[in-house]
Each structure stands twice: as C-alpha cells, then as structure tokens.
Amino acid sequence: MQSDDVGVYLHVPFCERVCPYCDFAVVAARPLTEDVEEAYVEALLAELARRQVDFGGRRLASIYLGGGTPSLLRPGSVEGLIDAVIGAFPPGEALEITLEVNPSTVERERLPGFRAAGVNRVSVGVQSFDDLTLKRLGRAHRGSEAHATLDACRRAGFDDLSLDLIFGAPEQSLEGLGRDLDAAIAFGPEHVSAYELTLEPDTPFAAAAARGRLARPAEETVVAMIEGVEARLGEAGYERYELSSYARPGRRARHNRRYWERRPVLGIGVGAFSNDPPTAAAPHGSRRSNPRALPRYLEAVAAGAPPAMEALSAETARGEAVFLALRTAEGLDAATFETEFGAAPRGFFAAEIDALAGADLLHEDPSGDLRLTPRGRLLSDSVFEHFV
Ligand code: SF4
C-alpha cells in the first residue's frame, strides 16, 4: 500500500525468564545489568542512525517498544530511544508511542517515568489473572501482580491501555477463560489482544506436547473459547477489528495496523523485521531481518553490516496483501489491490476464492472485496495457506 509515513519498532530481547511457549528473539536477563542495557541501547541507536536513510523524509506515525520485555529498561533509556526516533523522523499528528509492560514490582515503579519519557500507550502482558494458569504457562508473575500493574498504569496517567490475554492454555477450562474475560472487562482497558496459545517448533511446550505431556484443551473447547472471546468482548463494547484484536471505538492500535496494511515499518534490534518501502529495484517493497541471536546482532551493528534483505516478488506481495487484509474486519479492498497489482483479486486467485467461498470460509462482495466469514475466522490458518 502507498504510504508516506513510517512506524518504528524497537525490539528489546530481555526477559525475567524465558516462557516455555515463546519463540520470540529473547534472552533471560534478571537482573538486567546497567552495562548490558547500555550496550544494547547504544546498538539500537547506532542501527537507527544507519537505517533511517532508507525511510528518509517520512512522517513518524508510531513507535512501538516490544520484546522481550522493554519495561525492563530504565525510563531514561526509553526516553533516549524515543527522542532519537523523533529526531530521525518528523512526528506526525497524534503520534502513538507504545511500550509493552510485564506485571512485576520493578516495572510498576517505573511507570510514571515511562509516561514522562513520552510513552502514551501501554500493552500489559497479563495473559491470565489465574495463578494456576499463569504457573502452567510458566509465567513469572501472579494474578495479583497483573491487577496491581493495571491499576498502577492508570495512576501513572495512561489512558490508552491494551491488555493481552492467552486462551487454550494447558488445562484451561471455558469457565476459567470466562473468569479472565470478566476480570479484563471489569478493569475496562481501551484494547484487548486475545491470542490462542500456539505450539511453536523447538520450544519446551512443543517438546512436551510431542511426549504427550501437555494437557491442552480439546479442539472443540478451543473453538468455543474463540467464539466466547468474541461474544463476551463484543457485548462489552469491544469491536473485533482483527483476528486477535479488540478495541473500544477509536482505540484501534495504529502501529499494529501497519503490518496488516503493509505500510513501511523500520524494525530495529535483535531479530527485528522491517517492511522497507518500494524502490525502483524492489517495486513491491522489501523485507529486512536482523540476526536473532544477541551476540550476532551486536557484532553486525558494530561491523556496520546491513540486515538481510529480500525484495518481495509480485507473487509474494499479492499473497501477503490478501491474507494480511483478511485478518482485519474490513477485509481486502479489491480496488486498492487492483491499483497495486493491475487486476482485481479474482484475476489472480479465482480458483482459491471459489473454493473458499464454496466452503463458507470467504465472502466475496459484488465489488470483488473479500472478507472472512464467521467460519473462516475460526479456521483462518486454513484460509491463509491458499495465499502463501
Ligand atoms: S515474557 Fe513474553 S517475550 Fe518474554 S519469554 Fe515470556 S512470552 Fe516470550
């Protein structure tokens, strides 16, 4: 999609401990020493200084500090990073600056400092309010800490708050998820992200599942959970605007939307991905990716080595345009697709569209616009594989 702005993602890989289902680029670091923190922040700043030219002249729409656990950084480090990004790109109106926060005492105490540093949106990794579910997920916090962190966010002045929940956790029941949803709704966040637990290769959970040692809820329970999340949050006034994302009116996450809309994102840090804008040599844009191991990343930045680059072919870009847009409530706009690729979606994907529509997974408007049906939202992965 044509766009004259940029979102900047900064990845902070440090976590109190590595959760057994996580396959993000993370390292266990508790406590995070000042030396390690400073060396990493310096590397981020060096990478930003070198990479900003590829996005030159663009308006800054959003900054997202994700991880890992970026709230393990001291507020002064966060402020330095935000200032550097704002110095690199002229900020647009209503700049969204999000920080992911995990519930812990240290991070709670830093919330006023993060607010003063310019953060105006927090995404709190609650996952569950139930101690047993948190323990089975291998999380480092307890339910009471999640409540305390949410309250502390409000006291620190954050009026744009997203809350992450996981469902399909080991031994989790439909009733248990219901209690988590009740607690989330009672708190009243502006945004909720609700993710199904997935088994990623090479994680302790995947190994446990392979040995038959992970008691995941039955498939029909997970289906009931997906439907229950949408129904319960919908009744409470949250719109499901993307498969995992629910927002009160006017509170959709602007940075996250950039990925579904294929807008430019400069990703800085360990394992970070960038969506570079189109150029004459790469008319459909390109994807860049940094090393996933912290030592390799630090070496690459010190050596001035650029991230790996893959120019997107027209075929790859077309497939991505379809399945990323299908994640959203609005779906794929056929006219926008035609402007970029020279023909409507049916011009490239007639067989796939007919098969999926016949299976009640996809809805095609007379205009050619495409959207997932309710059944398609339940079975989205099997829809997307037709376009990858
Ligand atoms: S806190 Fe989040 S990023 Fe860190 S290990 Fe756990 S799931 Fe992964």
Side-chain angles (χ1 to χ4, degrees), residues 184-230:
I185 290 164
F187 176 75
E190 283 65 40
H191 187 282
V192 177
S193 295
Y195 302 99
E196 180 186 344
L197 178 71
T198 50
L199 289 186
E200 303 297 341
D202 303 323
T203 58
F205 265 21
R211 293 196 308 273
R213 302 282 300 276
L214 196 74
R216 303 185 74 201
E219 207 170 300
E220 57 271 21
T221 305
V222 173
V223 168
M225 286 177 165
I226 298 173
E227 291 172 335
V229 170
E230 179 170 8

mmCIF file of all heavy atoms in Angstrom, residues 184-230:
data_model
loop_
_atom_site.group_PDB
_atom_site.id
_atom_site.type_symbol
_atom_site.label_atom_id
_atom_site.label_comp_id
_atom_site.label_asym_id
_atom_site.label_seq_id
_atom_site.Cartn_x
_atom_site.Cartn_y
_atom_site.Cartn_z
ATOM 1 N N ALA A 184 -10.904 -8.862 32.930
ATOM 2 C CA ALA A 184 -10.393 -7.881 31.960
ATOM 3 C C ALA A 184 -11.436 -6.795 31.722
ATOM 4 O O ALA A 184 -11.134 -5.598 31.756
ATOM 5 C CB ALA A 184 -10.027 -8.579 30.649
ATOM 6 N N ILE A 185 -12.683 -7.217 31.508
ATOM 7 C CA ILE A 185 -13.753 -6.261 31.210
ATOM 8 C C ILE A 185 -14.013 -5.363 32.420
ATOM 9 O O ILE A 185 -14.242 -4.155 32.286
ATOM 10 C CB ILE A 185 -15.024 -7.016 30.767
ATOM 11 C CG1 ILE A 185 -14.783 -7.645 29.381
ATOM 12 C CG2 ILE A 185 -16.235 -6.091 30.738
ATOM 13 C CD1 ILE A 185 -15.786 -8.708 28.991
ATOM 14 N N ALA A 186 -13.942 -5.949 33.610
ATOM 15 C CA ALA A 186 -14.177 -5.151 34.828
ATOM 16 C C ALA A 186 -13.133 -4.051 34.949
ATOM 17 O O ALA A 186 -13.423 -2.950 35.427
ATOM 18 C CB ALA A 186 -14.126 -6.049 36.059
ATOM 19 N N PHE A 187 -11.909 -4.326 34.485
ATOM 20 C CA PHE A 187 -10.886 -3.282 34.551
ATOM 21 C C PHE A 187 -11.157 -2.185 33.516
ATOM 22 O O PHE A 187 -10.886 -1.010 33.752
ATOM 23 C CB PHE A 187 -9.486 -3.881 34.332
ATOM 24 C CG PHE A 187 -8.436 -2.830 34.297
ATOM 25 C CD1 PHE A 187 -8.015 -2.215 35.470
ATOM 26 C CD2 PHE A 187 -7.899 -2.395 33.098
ATOM 27 C CE1 PHE A 187 -7.091 -1.186 35.442
ATOM 28 C CE2 PHE A 187 -6.968 -1.372 33.063
ATOM 29 C CZ PHE A 187 -6.559 -0.774 34.241
ATOM 30 N N GLY A 188 -11.676 -2.583 32.351
ATOM 31 C CA GLY A 188 -12.045 -1.597 31.334
ATOM 32 C C GLY A 188 -10.891 -1.044 30.515
ATOM 33 O O GLY A 188 -10.758 0.179 30.381
ATOM 34 N N PRO A 189 -10.056 -1.915 29.915
ATOM 35 C CA PRO A 189 -8.988 -1.396 29.050
ATOM 36 C C PRO A 189 -9.573 -0.830 27.748
ATOM 37 O O PRO A 189 -10.720 -1.145 27.403
ATOM 38 C CB PRO A 189 -8.142 -2.639 28.760
ATOM 39 C CG PRO A 189 -9.122 -3.767 28.836
ATOM 40 C CD PRO A 189 -10.110 -3.383 29.903
ATOM 41 N N GLU A 190 -8.789 -0.037 27.062
ATOM 42 C CA GLU A 190 -9.248 0.502 25.775
ATOM 43 C C GLU A 190 -9.132 -0.552 24.674
ATOM 44 O O GLU A 190 -9.807 -0.464 23.647
ATOM 45 C CB GLU A 190 -8.396 1.725 25.376
ATOM 46 C CG GLU A 190 -8.738 2.995 26.131
ATOM 47 C CD GLU A 190 -8.428 2.897 27.624
ATOM 48 O OE1 GLU A 190 -7.374 2.321 27.986
ATOM 49 O OE2 GLU A 190 -9.257 3.384 28.425
ATOM 50 N N HIS A 191 -8.268 -1.550 24.909
ATOM 51 C CA HIS A 191 -7.939 -2.508 23.850
ATOM 52 C C HIS A 191 -7.606 -3.844 24.502
ATOM 53 O O HIS A 191 -7.020 -3.886 25.584
ATOM 54 C CB HIS A 191 -6.710 -1.962 23.100
ATOM 55 C CG HIS A 191 -6.313 -2.719 21.865
ATOM 56 N ND1 HIS A 191 -5.617 -3.905 21.889
ATOM 57 C CD2 HIS A 191 -6.484 -2.426 20.556
ATOM 58 C CE1 HIS A 191 -5.391 -4.312 20.660
ATOM 59 N NE2 HIS A 191 -5.905 -3.436 19.819
ATOM 60 N N VAL A 192 -8.010 -4.928 23.854
ATOM 61 C CA VAL A 192 -7.656 -6.265 24.339
ATOM 62 C C VAL A 192 -7.088 -7.057 23.159
ATOM 63 O O VAL A 192 -7.655 -7.037 22.062
ATOM 64 C CB VAL A 192 -8.891 -7.016 24.896
ATOM 65 C CG1 VAL A 192 -8.506 -8.432 25.329
ATOM 66 C CG2 VAL A 192 -9.518 -6.259 26.062
ATOM 67 N N SER A 193 -5.950 -7.709 23.386
ATOM 68 C CA SER A 193 -5.441 -8.673 22.402
ATOM 69 C C SER A 193 -5.606 -10.051 23.021
ATOM 70 O O SER A 193 -5.118 -10.297 24.126
ATOM 71 C CB SER A 193 -3.963 -8.421 22.091
ATOM 72 O OG SER A 193 -3.809 -7.162 21.469
ATOM 73 N N ALA A 194 -6.312 -10.932 22.331
ATOM 74 C CA ALA A 194 -6.572 -12.278 22.863
ATOM 75 C C ALA A 194 -6.015 -13.297 21.886
ATOM 76 O O ALA A 194 -6.468 -13.387 20.744
ATOM 77 C CB ALA A 194 -8.079 -12.483 23.053
ATOM 78 N N TYR A 195 -4.995 -14.020 22.341
ATOM 79 C CA TYR A 195 -4.290 -14.954 21.466
ATOM 80 C C TYR A 195 -4.529 -16.384 21.911
ATOM 81 O O TYR A 195 -4.454 -16.673 23.108
ATOM 82 C CB TYR A 195 -2.773 -14.724 21.533
ATOM 83 C CG TYR A 195 -2.339 -13.335 21.160
ATOM 84 C CD1 TYR A 195 -2.064 -12.387 22.140
ATOM 85 C CD2 TYR A 195 -2.184 -12.983 19.828
ATOM 86 C CE1 TYR A 195 -1.659 -11.113 21.803
ATOM 87 C CE2 TYR A 195 -1.775 -11.712 19.479
ATOM 88 C CZ TYR A 195 -1.512 -10.785 20.469
ATOM 89 O OH TYR A 195 -1.121 -9.526 20.133
ATOM 90 N N GLU A 196 -4.726 -17.252 20.931
ATOM 91 C CA GLU A 196 -4.727 -18.684 21.235
ATOM 92 C C GLU A 196 -3.282 -19.136 21.429
ATOM 93 O O GLU A 196 -2.391 -18.742 20.662
ATOM 94 C CB GLU A 196 -5.367 -19.450 20.071
ATOM 95 C CG GLU A 196 -5.401 -20.942 20.315
ATOM 96 C CD GLU A 196 -5.903 -21.713 19.092
ATOM 97 O OE1 GLU A 196 -6.497 -21.109 18.180
ATOM 98 O OE2 GLU A 196 -5.668 -22.936 19.065
ATOM 99 N N LEU A 197 -3.035 -19.936 22.439
ATOM 100 C CA LEU A 197 -1.694 -20.483 22.634
ATOM 101 C C LEU A 197 -1.343 -21.381 21.446
ATOM 102 O O LEU A 197 -2.090 -22.292 21.125
ATOM 103 C CB LEU A 197 -1.646 -21.307 23.920
ATOM 104 C CG LEU A 197 -0.308 -21.975 24.206
ATOM 105 C CD1 LEU A 197 0.742 -20.944 24.612
ATOM 106 C CD2 LEU A 197 -0.450 -23.042 25.282
ATOM 107 N N THR A 198 -0.234 -21.090 20.810
ATOM 108 C CA THR A 198 0.191 -21.944 19.689
ATOM 109 C C THR A 198 1.483 -22.649 20.077
ATOM 110 O O THR A 198 2.288 -22.114 20.848
ATOM 111 C CB THR A 198 0.421 -21.124 18.405
ATOM 112 O OG1 THR A 198 1.269 -20.017 18.715
ATOM 113 C CG2 THR A 198 -0.871 -20.621 17.819
ATOM 114 N N LEU A 199 1.669 -23.834 19.539
ATOM 115 C CA LEU A 199 2.886 -24.600 19.812
ATOM 116 C C LEU A 199 3.911 -24.272 18.741
ATOM 117 O O LEU A 199 3.737 -24.637 17.580
ATOM 118 C CB LEU A 199 2.587 -26.095 19.789
ATOM 119 C CG LEU A 199 1.761 -26.641 20.948
ATOM 120 C CD1 LEU A 199 1.683 -28.154 20.861
ATOM 121 C CD2 LEU A 199 2.333 -26.215 22.288
ATOM 122 N N GLU A 200 4.959 -23.565 19.118
ATOM 123 C CA GLU A 200 5.989 -23.195 18.157
ATOM 124 C C GLU A 200 7.094 -24.244 18.200
ATOM 125 O O GLU A 200 7.449 -24.734 19.282
ATOM 126 C CB GLU A 200 6.559 -21.812 18.503
ATOM 127 C CG GLU A 200 5.517 -20.708 18.571
ATOM 128 C CD GLU A 200 4.826 -20.459 17.237
ATOM 129 O OE1 GLU A 200 5.373 -20.854 16.198
ATOM 130 O OE2 GLU A 200 3.714 -19.885 17.248
ATOM 131 N N PRO A 201 7.648 -24.574 17.021
ATOM 132 C CA PRO A 201 8.699 -25.594 16.982
ATOM 133 C C PRO A 201 9.875 -25.225 17.896
ATOM 134 O O PRO A 201 10.157 -24.036 18.099
ATOM 135 C CB PRO A 201 9.156 -25.590 15.510
ATOM 136 C CG PRO A 201 8.106 -24.855 14.757
ATOM 137 C CD PRO A 201 7.363 -23.988 15.710
ATOM 138 N N ASP A 202 10.535 -26.232 18.420
ATOM 139 C CA ASP A 202 11.756 -26.039 19.229
ATOM 140 C C ASP A 202 11.512 -25.282 20.531
ATOM 141 O O ASP A 202 12.409 -24.589 21.022
ATOM 142 C CB ASP A 202 12.854 -25.332 18.415
ATOM 143 C CG ASP A 202 13.195 -26.103 17.152
ATOM 144 O OD1 ASP A 202 13.198 -27.348 17.219
ATOM 145 O OD2 ASP A 202 13.414 -25.471 16.103
ATOM 146 N N THR A 203 10.300 -25.338 21.051
ATOM 147 C CA THR A 203 10.047 -24.757 22.377
ATOM 148 C C THR A 203 9.800 -25.905 23.362
ATOM 149 O O THR A 203 9.394 -27.012 22.948
ATOM 150 C CB THR A 203 8.797 -23.844 22.358
ATOM 151 O OG1 THR A 203 7.672 -24.623 21.917
ATOM 152 C CG2 THR A 203 8.987 -22.645 21.435
ATOM 153 N N PRO A 204 10.017 -25.679 24.658
ATOM 154 C CA PRO A 204 9.726 -26.736 25.638
ATOM 155 C C PRO A 204 8.279 -27.224 25.561
ATOM 156 O O PRO A 204 8.017 -28.408 25.747
ATOM 157 C CB PRO A 204 10.018 -26.042 26.981
ATOM 158 C CG PRO A 204 11.052 -25.012 26.644
ATOM 159 C CD PRO A 204 10.689 -24.517 25.272
ATOM 160 N N PHE A 205 7.320 -26.351 25.251
ATOM 161 C CA PHE A 205 5.921 -26.794 25.140
ATOM 162 C C PHE A 205 5.743 -27.757 23.960
ATOM 163 O O PHE A 205 5.010 -28.735 24.067
ATOM 164 C CB PHE A 205 4.986 -25.587 24.974
ATOM 165 C CG PHE A 205 4.391 -25.109 26.272
ATOM 166 C CD1 PHE A 205 4.988 -25.416 27.484
ATOM 167 C CD2 PHE A 205 3.224 -24.340 26.294
ATOM 168 C CE1 PHE A 205 4.450 -24.979 28.691
ATOM 169 C CE2 PHE A 205 2.674 -23.903 27.495
ATOM 170 C CZ PHE A 205 3.292 -24.217 28.692
ATOM 171 N N ALA A 206 6.404 -27.446 22.840
ATOM 172 C CA ALA A 206 6.286 -28.345 21.679
ATOM 173 C C ALA A 206 6.874 -29.705 22.029
ATOM 174 O O ALA A 206 6.306 -30.754 21.673
ATOM 175 C CB ALA A 206 6.996 -27.738 20.467
ATOM 176 N N ALA A 207 8.009 -29.706 22.750
ATOM 177 C CA ALA A 207 8.638 -30.985 23.128
ATOM 178 C C ALA A 207 7.724 -31.746 24.084
ATOM 179 O O ALA A 207 7.546 -32.966 23.960
ATOM 180 C CB ALA A 207 9.997 -30.713 23.769
ATOM 181 N N ALA A 208 7.112 -31.031 25.036
ATOM 182 C CA ALA A 208 6.213 -31.690 25.991
ATOM 183 C C ALA A 208 4.998 -32.269 25.263
ATOM 184 O O ALA A 208 4.550 -33.377 25.558
ATOM 185 C CB ALA A 208 5.777 -30.693 27.065
ATOM 186 N N ALA A 209 4.484 -31.510 24.290
ATOM 187 C CA ALA A 209 3.316 -31.995 23.537
ATOM 188 C C ALA A 209 3.691 -33.253 22.756
ATOM 189 O O ALA A 209 2.906 -34.212 22.685
ATOM 190 C CB ALA A 209 2.809 -30.907 22.597
ATOM 191 N N ALA A 210 4.903 -33.258 22.186
ATOM 192 C CA ALA A 210 5.337 -34.426 21.402
ATOM 193 C C ALA A 210 5.435 -35.665 22.292
ATOM 194 O O ALA A 210 5.238 -36.787 21.824
ATOM 195 C CB ALA A 210 6.684 -34.131 20.742
ATOM 196 N N ARG A 211 5.728 -35.459 23.570
ATOM 197 C CA ARG A 211 5.812 -36.605 24.505
ATOM 198 C C ARG A 211 4.454 -36.911 25.139
ATOM 199 O O ARG A 211 4.353 -37.751 26.040
ATOM 200 C CB ARG A 211 6.819 -36.291 25.630
ATOM 201 C CG ARG A 211 8.273 -36.172 25.175
ATOM 202 C CD ARG A 211 9.223 -36.270 26.374
ATOM 203 N NE ARG A 211 8.880 -35.343 27.452
ATOM 204 C CZ ARG A 211 9.305 -34.085 27.533
ATOM 205 N NH1 ARG A 211 10.097 -33.609 26.594
ATOM 206 N NH2 ARG A 211 8.958 -33.317 28.537
ATOM 207 N N GLY A 212 3.429 -36.181 24.721
ATOM 208 C CA GLY A 212 2.102 -36.388 25.292
ATOM 209 C C GLY A 212 1.987 -35.862 26.708
ATOM 210 O O GLY A 212 1.159 -36.322 27.495
ATOM 211 N N ARG A 213 2.811 -34.852 27.039
ATOM 212 C CA ARG A 213 2.846 -34.346 28.419
ATOM 213 C C ARG A 213 2.274 -32.930 28.544
ATOM 214 O O ARG A 213 2.557 -32.242 29.508
ATOM 215 C CB ARG A 213 4.303 -34.345 28.928
ATOM 216 C CG ARG A 213 4.984 -35.701 28.907
ATOM 217 C CD ARG A 213 4.556 -36.583 30.075
ATOM 218 N NE ARG A 213 4.872 -35.970 31.354
ATOM 219 C CZ ARG A 213 6.046 -36.044 31.954
ATOM 220 N NH1 ARG A 213 7.028 -36.694 31.370
ATOM 221 N NH2 ARG A 213 6.243 -35.474 33.131
ATOM 222 N N LEU A 214 1.528 -32.488 27.534
ATOM 223 C CA LEU A 214 0.940 -31.146 27.626
ATOM 224 C C LEU A 214 -0.562 -31.279 27.495
ATOM 225 O O LEU A 214 -1.070 -31.639 26.427
ATOM 226 C CB LEU A 214 1.502 -30.242 26.514
ATOM 227 C CG LEU A 214 1.271 -28.749 26.714
ATOM 228 C CD1 LEU A 214 2.193 -28.201 27.807
ATOM 229 C CD2 LEU A 214 1.537 -27.978 25.429
ATOM 230 N N ALA A 215 -1.277 -30.964 28.571
ATOM 231 C CA ALA A 215 -2.727 -31.181 28.589
ATOM 232 C C ALA A 215 -3.440 -29.965 28.019
ATOM 233 O O ALA A 215 -3.945 -29.106 28.757
ATOM 234 C CB ALA A 215 -3.188 -31.455 30.019
ATOM 235 N N ARG A 216 -3.460 -29.863 26.687
ATOM 236 C CA ARG A 216 -4.149 -28.734 26.060
ATOM 237 C C ARG A 216 -5.643 -28.998 26.015
ATOM 238 O O ARG A 216 -6.077 -30.161 25.943
ATOM 239 C CB ARG A 216 -3.625 -28.520 24.645
ATOM 240 C CG ARG A 216 -2.125 -28.299 24.596
ATOM 241 C CD ARG A 216 -1.690 -27.976 23.198
ATOM 242 N NE ARG A 216 -2.059 -26.629 22.842
ATOM 243 C CZ ARG A 216 -2.184 -26.195 21.593
ATOM 244 N NH1 ARG A 216 -1.999 -27.002 20.585
ATOM 245 N NH2 ARG A 216 -2.493 -24.933 21.340
ATOM 246 N N PRO A 217 -6.462 -27.943 26.037
ATOM 247 C CA PRO A 217 -7.908 -28.156 25.933
ATOM 248 C C PRO A 217 -8.255 -28.829 24.604
ATOM 249 O O PRO A 217 -7.529 -28.674 23.618
ATOM 250 C CB PRO A 217 -8.483 -26.731 25.983
ATOM 251 C CG PRO A 217 -7.399 -25.877 26.522
ATOM 252 C CD PRO A 217 -6.104 -26.531 26.171
ATOM 253 N N ALA A 218 -9.353 -29.565 24.598
ATOM 254 C CA ALA A 218 -9.799 -30.240 23.372
ATOM 255 C C ALA A 218 -10.124 -29.204 22.298
ATOM 256 O O ALA A 218 -10.446 -28.044 22.605
ATOM 257 C CB ALA A 218 -11.039 -31.079 23.684
ATOM 258 N N GLU A 219 -10.044 -29.657 21.035
ATOM 259 C CA GLU A 219 -10.259 -28.735 19.908
ATOM 260 C C GLU A 219 -11.611 -28.027 19.995
ATOM 261 O O GLU A 219 -11.720 -26.823 19.751
ATOM 262 C CB GLU A 219 -10.175 -29.523 18.604
ATOM 263 C CG GLU A 219 -9.739 -28.680 17.424
ATOM 264 C CD GLU A 219 -9.429 -29.563 16.226
ATOM 265 O OE1 GLU A 219 -8.537 -30.428 16.321
ATOM 266 O OE2 GLU A 219 -10.123 -29.401 15.229
ATOM 267 N N GLU A 220 -12.669 -28.802 20.377
ATOM 268 C CA GLU A 220 -13.998 -28.159 20.435
ATOM 269 C C GLU A 220 -14.056 -27.126 21.564
ATOM 270 O O GLU A 220 -14.775 -26.122 21.474
ATOM 271 C CB GLU A 220 -15.136 -29.185 20.541
ATOM 272 C CG GLU A 220 -15.076 -30.148 21.696
ATOM 273 C CD GLU A 220 -14.283 -31.415 21.375
ATOM 274 O OE1 GLU A 220 -13.464 -31.405 20.439
ATOM 275 O OE2 GLU A 220 -14.490 -32.418 22.091
ATOM 276 N N THR A 221 -13.257 -27.353 22.622
ATOM 277 C CA THR A 221 -13.206 -26.344 23.696
ATOM 278 C C THR A 221 -12.526 -25.078 23.188
ATOM 279 O O THR A 221 -12.980 -23.962 23.473
ATOM 280 C CB THR A 221 -12.424 -26.900 24.919
ATOM 281 O OG1 THR A 221 -13.007 -28.128 25.314
ATOM 282 C CG2 THR A 221 -12.433 -25.917 26.080
ATOM 283 N N VAL A 222 -11.453 -25.254 22.400
ATOM 284 C CA VAL A 222 -10.752 -24.079 21.866
ATOM 285 C C VAL A 222 -11.673 -23.307 20.919
ATOM 286 O O VAL A 222 -11.719 -22.071 20.946
ATOM 287 C CB VAL A 222 -9.435 -24.496 21.167
ATOM 288 C CG1 VAL A 222 -8.798 -23.291 20.477
ATOM 289 C CG2 VAL A 222 -8.456 -25.090 22.174
ATOM 290 N N VAL A 223 -12.436 -24.025 20.102
ATOM 291 C CA VAL A 223 -13.394 -23.348 19.206
ATOM 292 C C VAL A 223 -14.403 -22.560 20.039
ATOM 293 O O VAL A 223 -14.706 -21.392 19.754
ATOM 294 C CB VAL A 223 -14.107 -24.378 18.293
ATOM 295 C CG1 VAL A 223 -15.301 -23.743 17.583
ATOM 296 C CG2 VAL A 223 -13.126 -24.956 17.279
ATOM 297 N N ALA A 224 -14.902 -23.181 21.109
ATOM 298 C CA ALA A 224 -15.863 -22.474 21.989
ATOM 299 C C ALA A 224 -15.190 -21.267 22.641
ATOM 300 O O ALA A 224 -15.836 -20.232 22.873
ATOM 301 C CB ALA A 224 -16.394 -23.434 23.047
ATOM 302 N N MET A 225 -13.904 -21.380 22.928
ATOM 303 C CA MET A 225 -13.175 -20.249 23.520
ATOM 304 C C MET A 225 -13.093 -19.085 22.527
ATOM 305 O O MET A 225 -13.332 -17.934 22.886
ATOM 306 C CB MET A 225 -11.757 -20.673 23.920
ATOM 307 C CG MET A 225 -11.721 -21.548 25.174
ATOM 308 S SD MET A 225 -10.028 -22.086 25.532
ATOM 309 C CE MET A 225 -10.241 -22.672 27.228
ATOM 310 N N ILE A 226 -12.752 -19.393 21.272
ATOM 311 C CA ILE A 226 -12.649 -18.326 20.256
ATOM 312 C C ILE A 226 -13.994 -17.615 20.140
ATOM 313 O O ILE A 226 -14.079 -16.390 20.144
ATOM 314 C CB ILE A 226 -12.226 -18.918 18.890
ATOM 315 C CG1 ILE A 226 -10.838 -19.557 18.986
ATOM 316 C CG2 ILE A 226 -12.231 -17.829 17.813
ATOM 317 C CD1 ILE A 226 -10.414 -20.324 17.730
ATOM 318 N N GLU A 227 -15.071 -18.417 20.066
ATOM 319 C CA GLU A 227 -16.403 -17.813 19.927
ATOM 320 C C GLU A 227 -16.776 -17.035 21.193
ATOM 321 O O GLU A 227 -17.363 -15.959 21.128
ATOM 322 C CB GLU A 227 -17.430 -18.912 19.643
ATOM 323 C CG GLU A 227 -17.246 -19.517 18.263
ATOM 324 C CD GLU A 227 -18.129 -20.739 18.003
ATOM 325 O OE1 GLU A 227 -18.530 -21.423 18.977
ATOM 326 O OE2 GLU A 227 -18.402 -21.012 16.834
ATOM 327 N N GLY A 228 -16.387 -17.603 22.340
ATOM 328 C CA GLY A 228 -16.710 -16.950 23.614
ATOM 329 C C GLY A 228 -15.996 -15.619 23.779
ATOM 330 O O GLY A 228 -16.580 -14.653 24.286
ATOM 331 N N VAL A 229 -14.738 -15.557 23.351
ATOM 332 C CA VAL A 229 -13.977 -14.297 23.459
ATOM 333 C C VAL A 229 -14.671 -13.222 22.633
ATOM 334 O O VAL A 229 -14.912 -12.102 23.103
ATOM 335 C CB VAL A 229 -12.514 -14.501 22.979
ATOM 336 C CG1 VAL A 229 -11.811 -13.164 22.858
ATOM 337 C CG2 VAL A 229 -11.750 -15.408 23.942
ATOM 338 N N GLU A 230 -15.020 -13.572 21.388
ATOM 339 C CA GLU A 230 -15.642 -12.567 20.516
ATOM 340 C C GLU A 230 -16.993 -12.115 21.083
ATOM 341 O O GLU A 230 -17.299 -10.918 21.122
ATOM 342 C CB GLU A 230 -15.819 -13.122 19.097
ATOM 343 C CG GLU A 230 -16.494 -12.105 18.183
ATOM 344 C CD GLU A 230 -16.487 -12.497 16.705
ATOM 345 O OE1 GLU A 230 -16.097 -13.630 16.388
ATOM 346 O OE2 GLU A 230 -16.874 -11.645 15.889
#
